[in-house]
Amino acid sequence: MFESRVERGVGLVALLGALFGLCVWYGTLGTDPASWVFPRTAQVFPGPERYIGRRVVLAGEVVSVDPVVVSLAGTDPPVRVLLDGVDRPVAAGVRIRAFGVLESEGTLRTLGVVTTRPGGFVYAATASIVGGLVVIGRLLRDWRVDLGGWGLEPRASPPSLRALAGAGEDGAGTGEAGDDRDA
């Protein structure tokens, strides 16, 4: 497809520019602009009486599951709110964002909820790092970088893990018999 170094360079710059542009564009979008433009926890509290009967978004940690009670994040003193009409099972300790109508200072009639487990971010980050390392390892094992042509070329025969670690097929560098480095 791209035969010369200049064509590959232009293609690489175009792809990176498109990737950057899409990241900026995506970052400007809300999850659902029509649904999530309502007052949030920090705006509703400390004066919730102004928001009774209005749609709000409250976030916090589930402290009780029957009925569902949430300790709201970022309120001082801590505020607990009953979530009426939660449509899915939740567990204590789970972070929750609830959208609904504030019926009283302590009750929210939910129209929708989003939950996240406490270790969800750590799990996602760890899985991404491990997956990235596996991909980089396979790339380095099965392909070689052609610096002259700005490309990748498949290896004729991928090296073994022993060869990648610096040990030859004859056991050199392993400390086994026949290793004469110490002699």
Side-chain angles (χ1 to χ4, degrees):
M1 185 169 161
F2 295 118
E3 298 299 325
S4 74
R5 196 173 187 176
V6 173
E7 289 175 336
R8 288 185 180 149
V10 169
L12 180 64
V13 168
L15 286 174
L16 289 175
L19 178 63
F20 178 75
L22 288 172
C23 286
V24 170
W25 172 68
Y26 179 75
T28 63
L29 297 178
T31 53
D32 184 4
S35 295
W36 295 97
V37 291
F38 302 103
R40 303 203 190 279
T41 305
Q43 297 165 325
V44 174
F45 290 91
E49 59 278 347
R50 297 180 310 198
Y51 296 96
I52 293 177
R54 292 179 53 192
R55 291 182 178 192
V56 297
V57 177
L58 302 179
E61 183 177 325
V62 176
V63 293
S64 171
V65 294
D66 191 24
V68 178
V69 177
V70 174
S71 177
L72 299 180
T75 57
D76 189 34
V79 175
R80 291 186 175 202
V81 173
L82 170 71
L83 300 183
D84 185 28
V86 175
D87 60 350
R88 66 184 71 178
V90 294
V94 170
R95 303 270 313 147
I96 191 168
R97 176 169 291 195
F99 167 70
V101 177
L102 192 64
E103 293 184 336
S104 69
E105 291 184 13
T107 305
L108 178 75
R109 182 173 35 91
T110 61
L111 301 174
V113 295
V114 176
T115 60
T116 56
R117 298 233 176 255
F121 174 76
V122 173
Y123 171 78
T126 303
S128 296
I129 290 169
V130 169
L133 291 174
V134 167
V135 169
I136 289 171
R138 290 296 306 254
L139 178 77
L140 294 175
R141 181 178 175 266
D142 295 336
W143 297 83
R144 70 174 189 83
V145 178
D146 177 18
L147 296 177
W150 283 22
L152 294 173
E153 293 182 359
R155 294 183 186 266
S157 63
S160 67
L161 290 177
R162 177 175 263 176
L164 287 175
E169 293 299 320
D170 62 350
T174 62
E176 297 175 359
D179 188 1
D180 59 356
R181 287 185 304 156
D182 296 327

